[in-house]
Amino acid sequence: MADGHPVEGGRSGPADAHPVGDAGPPVFGMRPAGDERAEPIDTLPTGVVGGPPVGADRSTLRLALTVGGLVLAVLLGFGLGRANPGPGTPSATSVAAATADHTHAPGTGAHDHGDGTDQAADSGAGGLSVSSAGYTLTPSAVEFGVGRAGEFRFQVRDERRRPVTRFAVVHDKPMHLVVVRRDLSGYQHLHPTMAPDGTWSVPLTLGQAGVWRAYADFTAVADDGRQTAATLGVDLVAPGGYAPRPLPAPATTTTVDGFTVGYEGTPEVGKAVPLRFTVSAGGAPAALERYLGAYGHLVALREGDLGYLHVHPVATPAGDRVTFWVTAPGPGRYRMYLDFQVAGVVRTAEFTLTVP
């Protein structure tokens, strides 16, 4: 991104799944008109009312009663075993006691640690596929002319292929869209608008030929009120000769529009550590302003698979410093994009870092 070009700020957060009844973020959206969302009624097979088939003889009934008695005995035994777990079976009380001392990194809330079966959850990076957590990203088109202004349109659909129309407002927006070329250049952070049918749209220009990655970062609200955060990714194409740019060398300071931006801290694999960013101009601290509810927004992408990292900001008073907690899912090179606002203008500082 060229220096001095205003962009919309970033957003990141933990992939929380809020249970029903939790007081989560404000909800944005609506249900399409005429959508009853009623589950189909299960019907019994023809001729079945609820008892044995008409015309069954006494021997058949006697056999059925015998088998039913055996099944009932097995079920009763299983229920007693569940009510009195053995020494090797954890009870609800023991599980609660074991997790009572679990804490999260500062700046994060309680979240679902997942079961390790999802690639994104297992690696610690999101945006690796178009489907995750029961939601799928479905774009209307994925090809854009190089340097030509276009419009990116997409829907988020649930497990029943229905367009999702209710989203929680996170960092002042219900949807955050990050677009970057596969060589990690051309970073854009956009905020689409949603139509009543759940179709999101946003103006988009891909300035260079090649394959780009688009990340939809959102928190969906289900019919029962459950909130699920997800980051879905899809490739976009700008036809033409692709000449990838080499990734800049790792550095802890950079300049953008006359501002010097630096950070302290070294990310570690599997461990949350703080990265503290400072912004200055002419040797004096810059007066950072709130943008999208925070004094800075950080997005981190992994070289290679372009895994998207959820980075947790820390609530801090006004000043020239903003802190984020970062957990590296594995060794390698990463590109970080810090959005900050001064005097009403949003700028992006970019960094390359290597995690050993």
Side-chain angles (χ1 to χ4, degrees), residues 18-22 24-25 27 31 166 220-228:
H18 301 281
V20 179
D22 270 13
V27 175
R31 290 182 178 176
R166 300 176 67 212
V221 181
D223 293 342
D224 60 3
R226 183 177 296 272
Q227 298 186 6
T228 303

Side-chain angles (χ1 to χ4, degrees), residues 24-193:
V27 175
F28 165 87
M30 67 291 288
R31 290 182 178 176
D35 183 1
E36 298 295 336
R37 301 202 176 172
E39 296 288 342
I41 299 175
D42 293 331
T43 56
L44 295 173
T46 303
V48 177
V49 178
V54 177
D57 56 24
R58 292 179 179 275
S59 60
T60 302
L61 292 175
R62 188 178 301 110
L63 178 60
L65 290 173
T66 302
V67 173
L70 291 174
V71 172
L72 179 61
V74 172
L75 292 176
L76 286 174
F78 176 75
L80 290 173
R82 292 292 297 271
N84 298 279
T89 305
S91 65
T93 303
S94 64
V95 171
T99 59
D101 294 332
H102 176 73
T103 59
H104 300 87
T108 69
H111 52 275
D112 182 8
H113 294 274
D115 57 8
T117 59
D118 180 77
Q119 181 185 13
D122 187 57
S123 68
L128 298 177
S129 65
V130 296
S131 297
S132 180
Y135 295 96
T136 300
L137 179 63
T138 56
S140 298
V142 296
E143 186 172 312
F144 294 79
V146 177
R148 224 179 299 166
E151 184 178 59
F152 182 46
R153 302 173 71 247
F154 63 93
Q155 289 182 335
V156 174
R157 296 182 180 176
D158 62 16
E159 292 176 321
R160 296 171 59 191
R161 302 294 296 168
R162 301 176 305 175
V164 179
T165 57
R166 300 176 67 212
F167 296 82
V169 176
V170 180
H171 291 301
D172 291 351
K173 297 290 182 179
M175 177 68 68
H176 299 260
L177 183 75
V178 169
V179 180
V180 67
R181 202 166 70 151
R182 293 202 69 89
D183 60 2
L184 298 178
S185 67
Y187 169 87
Q188 302 178 55
H189 195 134
L190 310 170
H191 299 105
T193 57

Side-chain angles (χ1 to χ4, degrees), residues 216-292:
D217 192 347
F218 60 88
T219 297
V221 181
D223 293 342
D224 60 3
R226 183 177 296 272
Q227 298 186 6
T228 303
T231 302
L232 308 180
V234 66
D235 282 341
L236 308 178
V237 178
Y242 175 45
R245 299 177 184 175
L247 202 61
T252 57
T253 61
T254 189
T255 58
V256 53
D257 275 3
F259 291 92
T260 299
V261 185
Y263 74 90
E264 298 176 351
T266 303
E268 299 181 27
V269 176
K271 179 181 178 181
V273 298
L275 296 188
R276 297 181 174 89
F277 290 82
T278 57
V279 182
S280 61
L288 297 179
E289 300 171 345
R290 285 188 178 273
Y291 181 67
L292 299 176

